Amino acid sequence: MDAEQQPLSPTPAPDHNGANYAEHDTNSTGTTTEPPTASSLPGHSAGSPKPLAVNGITSSGPAYKVKLILSGHTRSISAIKFSPDGSMLASSAADKSVKVWNADTGEILHTLEGHTEGISDIAWSPDGEYIASASDDKTIRIWSIDSMSTVKVLKGHTNFVFCVNFSPRSNLLVSGGFDETVRVWDIARGRNLKTLPAHSDPVTAVTFNHDGTLIASCAMDGLIRIWDSDSGQCLKTLADDDNPICSHIKFTPNSKFILASTQDSTIRLWSTQTSRCVKTYTGHTNRTYCLVVDFAPGKKYIVSGSEDAKVYLWNLQSREVAQVLEGHRDVVIAIAAHPTRPVIASASMEKDLTIRIWEDRNAVGGY
């Protein structure tokens, strides 16, 4: 479910079993206001260079084809994340395990076990040394990549922990959960530094911005909140008139925009400066689960899973659907973009249980 996620239910159900399932009905429609000019879009702001295409992705549009199919989890997959160097892929599931895969060959390198309930989210530390996992057992585990073992267990949440992310310097962790709080943790000490009474419903996603000065959170209350990571003060609240459940958020590289997926089958691009929605992306189906949205490699396209068992890519600028990837047999809940190559990973739920690695054949050289 940055992918992070499986469905949640309006009130924690006994059989929730951690797997980002957020079951809700929303019937609202998204609206856009004042589409941004090209110079104001993510990565194109005044004074910042345009993003470079990864490995020479061409302008003729993406042509992703499946390269690997990974199997190993026994319950619904909840999140997948590439390691910072792209050599490994981590996945979490309702089967209480985290698996670490070789991203090139699809081989399972390690299975990390220790949680007593399902896992809803995972995150790599930017330095590549740790994985954090968020579980329905109300804890967060920090796993060392060197030893492939638990080095810290963070306790403090009073209900399911649903989302987690590291700070850019890898020294802090932010988490959110069904107790409606956002918590900031000191990794080295394993200590809860701040508890923010963030939302009035379960928190579905949390993330730091590029320099660690801001934290963003979103929740089933439909709100996106931006916090000062040092003081814990709420700086801004982003909200649509209809307040559809917000499933996932992602800062753009320059932190001037936030990409948000909502359970009205819409993805919105919000300006963090004007607090307005500047673009919307539609075509996929998302009314029940917390689906992850991300920027595809090269940052020219947006990628998301869908409840129709497909993966959708949109042109960031034109908002048009650029490609639809078929092959999964159940809801595609998690997406991950490779950090350096034209590669995307996708993961599906209970009727499928596979992770698919897709490669853009329009990229010069490919692998």
Side-chain angles (χ1 to χ4, degrees), residues 1-6 19-20 78-81 92-93 98 115 118-123 131-135 161-165 204-206 248 292:
M1 264 145 233
D2 321 306
E4 40 102 16
Q5 319 222 130
Q6 290 192 295
N20 299 6
S78 57
I80 50 174
K81 303 286 176 68
S92 62
V98 174
H115 281 295
I119 302 167
S120 282
D121 198 15
I122 47 173
I131 291 174
S133 54
S135 172
V161 192
F162 195 70
C163 48
V164 68
N165 251 317
T204 53
V206 286
H248 190 259
V292 171

Side-chain angles (χ1 to χ4, degrees), residues 160-190:
F160 307 140
V161 192
F162 195 70
C163 48
V164 68
N165 251 317
F166 282 90
S167 66
R169 289 169 50 203
S170 303
N171 62 320
L172 300 176
L173 192 78
V174 62
S175 62
F178 270 70
D179 60 8
E180 303 172 4
T181 68
V182 168
R183 293 172 187 257
V184 181
W185 307 82
D186 179 320
I187 298 296
R189 295 175 181 161

Side-chain angles (χ1 to χ4, degrees), residues 103 152 186 207 228 279:
K152 289 275 193 313
D186 179 320
T207 186
D228 182 292
K279 279 184 183 287

Side-chain angles (χ1 to χ4, degrees), residues 5-7 9 22 65 72 85 90 107 131 139 148 182 200 246 259 287-288 294 309 319 322 347:
Q5 319 222 130
Q6 290 192 295
S9 48
K65 301 285 186 185
D85 66 0
E107 175 192 3
I131 291 174
T139 71
M148 286 295 170
V182 168
S200 58
C246 189
L259 195 60
R287 295 192 175 274
T288 307
D294 201 354
R319 299 180 294 160

Side-chain angles (χ1 to χ4, degrees), residues 18 22 26 33 38 42 50 56 89-90 135 174 211-212 225 227 237-238 241 264 270 279 299 301 313 333 349 356 360:
T26 51
T33 58
K50 293 184 179 181
L89 180 75
S135 172
V174 62
D211 61 4
R225 290 206 155 118
W227 311 82
T237 299
L238 313 179
D241 290 340
D264 57 352
W270 291 88
K279 279 184 183 287
K299 305 292 190 287
Y301 299 94
L313 289 104
I333 199 151
M349 287 174 53
R356 288 178 174 244
D360 185 0

Side-chain angles (χ1 to χ4, degrees), residues 13-61:
D15 60 351
H16 166 67
N17 279 339
N20 299 6
Y21 307 118
E23 303 187 358
H24 295 272
D25 292 324
T26 51
N27 298 309
S28 55
T29 56
T31 57
T32 59
T33 58
E34 298 179 6
T37 60
S39 63
S40 69
L41 275 172
H44 295 262
S45 58
S48 70
K50 293 184 179 181
L52 298 175
V54 175
N55 280 3
I57 288 181
T58 65
S59 59
S60 59

